[in-house]
């Protein structure tokens, strides 16, 4: 270990209370950022009235966040490796606060889209937080801490829905964003006070061409996926964007392989452990979001449909909130399994639990307690699986590339959620039933989407089976920034 890193490691090992504070602050920051995903859900139907704009234009309040997050996550991760993970963490939180304030002051569509874009640019907080943990925490604390940080994405989303619904029902809608701004300020202050800066840096120059190329490819792909349903999947615009993304991805990949300091090290990403972990992440991202697209609708549809439960948005949030708590608890349990059996086993176990929860939903979706049970089982499995991913990624990359590698993994999860949204939208739009002259998603449509969620979880299990066998989860200790590889934890 280098002399520069030794003080951090010693400090972390000798002062557990300090380590506890760092973990708590980073997890809180992750949850705050995750809240932005569910922040606008309660007011989406009302946004056209609030902003005096069409429904198609106000949909950009969601789409802009998705696109900004996709671009920012890998770019900010790389900048964190180069210039300091804590520094970029602070920049990301400032962007979240700025976006929240802009939205809170907006009464028209343009500033709302600008604000939501700024909020999306803060999405790298979670992978940056995981990377900070690797560098500043004692090795024995890493498994549980990174599992909690990884699960904070789902926890924040689950807890944010009832909170946002309560605020939207009882206060002016601008209060949603003022609340987000205040939470961001608290997170910023806590990070400044508690979280130390890591000494692990890559240095070098930033790959601007690679960043622009990846951004163009991602924006083209995600724009086609998110707006294809509105534009038509066979329209020239949609097909053109898909074609552009393929061409740009190929050109970008060729450039990244030839440049000395790439934005994404594709050779590292192609290692078996990293590659199959990322593929499993896409499948699990799909699986996790499929539930989010079905269960709230089932809960809100009128009782008269025969399968809807007729609940308010606030009730929906409260019914689904326990899954966030289960996710948090199971992320801690997953850390124990990871230490004993290795993160591969934890990931595969989580995938099986998720598949079981989805399979159960096919026969149990007619009562509120059915929904709670299904959501908690799936949430528990996601907590298991998401908790194992950072250990798998960090066990296969050098410390100097931790933020970029974790950011890419987070991006893979987001890609899975985007695919789920697009495919579920197509299915639910095609499989409808007439209700008072209005088409509503049919019960069979919901079951098909849930069955796809189960299939995606089993696909994640399949991908995880190709990850090299691991005897145990040897803690990923902070390593010398000059080291080319981390200590191997894989068996033959």
């Amino acid at each position: 270990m280098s002399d520069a890193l030794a003080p951090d490691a010693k400090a972390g090992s000798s002062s557990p209370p300090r380590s506890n504070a760092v973990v708590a602050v980073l997890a809180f920051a992750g949850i705050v950022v995750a809240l932005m995903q569910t922040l606008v859900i309660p007011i989406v139907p009302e946004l056209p009235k609030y902003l005096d704009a069409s429904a198609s234009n106000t949909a950009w309040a969601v789409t802009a966040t998705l696109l900004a997050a996709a671009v920012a996550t890998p770019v900010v991760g790389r900048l964190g490796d180069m210039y300091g993970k804590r520094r970029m963490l602070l920049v990301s939180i400032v962007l979240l606060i700025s976006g929240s304030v802009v939205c809170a002051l907006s009464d028209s569509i343009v500033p709302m889209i600008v604000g939501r874009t700024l909020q999306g640019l803060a999405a790298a907080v979670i992978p940056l937080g995981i990377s900070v943990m690797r560098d500043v925490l004692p090795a024995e604390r890493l498994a549980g801490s990174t599992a909690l940080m990884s699960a904070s994405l789902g926890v924040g989303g689950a807890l944010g829905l009832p909170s946002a619904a309560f605020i939207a029902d009882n206060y002016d809608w601008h209060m949603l964003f003022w609340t987000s701004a205040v939470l961001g300020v608290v997170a910023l202050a806590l990070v400044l006070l508690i979280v130390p800066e890591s000494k692990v840096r890559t240095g070098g120059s930033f790959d601007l061409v690679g960043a622009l190329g990846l951004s163009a490819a991602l924006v083209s792909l995600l724009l086609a996926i998110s707006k294809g349903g509105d534009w038509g999947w066979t329209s020239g615009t949609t097909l053109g964007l898909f074609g552009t993304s393929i061409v740009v991805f190929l050109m970008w990949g060729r450039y990244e392989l030839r440049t000395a300091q790439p934005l994404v090290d594709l050779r590292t990403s192609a290692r078996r452990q990293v590659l199959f972990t990322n593929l499993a992440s896409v499948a699990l991202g799909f699986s996790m979001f499929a539930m989010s697209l079905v269960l709230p609708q089932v809960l809100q549809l009128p009782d008269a449909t025969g399968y809807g439960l007729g609940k308010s948005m606030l009730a929906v949030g409260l019914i689904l909130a326990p899954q966030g708590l289960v996710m948090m608890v199971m992320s801690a349990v997953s850390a124990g399994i990871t230490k004993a059996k290795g993160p591969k086993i934890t990931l595969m176990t989580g995938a099986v639990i998720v598949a079981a929860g989805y399979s159960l939903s096919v026969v149990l979706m007619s009562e509120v307690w059915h929904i709670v049970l299904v959501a908690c089982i799936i949430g528990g499995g996601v907590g298991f699986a998401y908790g194992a991913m950072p250990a798998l990624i960090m066990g296969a990359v050098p410390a100097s590339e931790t933020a970029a590698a974790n950011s890419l993994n987070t991006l893979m999860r987001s890609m899975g959620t985007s695919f789920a949204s697009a495919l579920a939208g197509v299915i639910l739009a095609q499989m409808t039933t007439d209700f008072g002259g209005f088409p509503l998603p049919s019960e069979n449509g919901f079951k098909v989407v849930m069955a796809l969620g189960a299939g995606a979880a089993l696909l994640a299990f399949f991908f995880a089976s190709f990850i090299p066998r691991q005897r145990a989860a040897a803690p990923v200790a902070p390593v010398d920034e000059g080291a080319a590889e981390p200590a191997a934890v894989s068996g033959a």
Side-chain angles (χ1 to χ4, degrees), residues 1-226:
M1 182 178 293
S2 67
D3 292 339
L5 290 178
D8 285 342
K10 290 177 182 177
S13 300
S14 61
S15 49
R18 175 75 174 183
S19 296
N20 292 339
V22 169
V23 173
V25 168
L26 291 174
F28 174 74
I31 290 172
V32 170
V33 170
L35 289 174
M36 72 181 178
Q37 295 193 339
T38 52
L39 190 67
V40 298
I41 289 178
I43 62 171
V44 164
E46 305 297 326
L47 279 178
K49 179 179 69 175
Y50 293 152
L51 301 175
D52 191 23
S54 66
S56 60
N57 285 336
T58 56
W60 284 97
V62 176
T63 305
T65 307
L66 168 70
L67 299 179
V71 170
T73 301
V75 171
V76 175
R78 179 60 178 163
L79 290 172
D81 282 332
M82 292 176 64
Y83 302 116
K85 303 174 183 74
R86 177 179 178 268
R87 179 177 299 173
M88 297 313 300
L89 184 65
L90 292 170
V91 169
S92 297
I93 297 174
V94 168
L95 289 171
L96 172 67
I97 297 169
S98 302
S100 300
V101 171
V102 171
C103 290
L105 294 173
S106 66
D107 286 302
S108 59
I109 186 63
V110 173
M112 173 63 77
I113 292 174
V114 171
R116 289 291 289 166
T117 299
L118 289 171
Q119 286 187 318
L121 293 175
V125 163
I126 291 174
L128 285 171
I130 292 170
S131 304
V132 169
M133 288 176 176
R134 179 183 191 179
D135 295 343
V136 306
L137 293 181
E140 65 272 10
R141 292 295 310 275
L142 279 178
S145 301
T146 57
L148 177 62
M149 189 71 194
S150 182
S152 67
L153 179 63
V155 172
L159 299 182
L161 184 58
S163 303
F166 175 79
I167 294 172
D169 283 349
N170 293 280
Y171 302 95
D172 179 78
W173 66 274
H174 294 90
M175 188 59 66
L176 288 169
F177 298 101
W178 286 122
T179 302
S180 174
V182 170
L183 290 173
V185 169
V186 173
L188 181 70
L190 290 174
V191 171
L192 283 168
L193 290 172
I194 303 296
V195 179
E197 181 59 274
S198 162
K199 303 295 193 302
V200 181
R201 309 279 177 86
T202 60
S205 58
F206 180 68
D207 179 15
L208 180 60
V209 174
L212 292 174
L214 180 60
S215 298
L218 286 172
V219 168
S220 299
L221 176 61
L222 292 175
L223 196 55
I225 291 172
S226 59

Side-chain angles (χ1 to χ4, degrees), residues 35 38 151 154-165 291-292 295-296 299 312-329 368 371-377 379-380:
L35 289 174
T38 52
V155 172
L159 299 182
L161 184 58
S163 303
M291 167 186 67
S292 302
L295 298 187
L299 286 166
S312 68
M313 175 60 76
L314 178 58
V316 170
L318 293 173
I319 290 167
L320 296 179
Q323 69 162 314
L325 300 176
V326 171
M327 200 178 296
M328 184 179 296
V329 171
V368 169
I371 303 294
V372 174
L373 177 63
V374 167
C376 286
I377 293 174

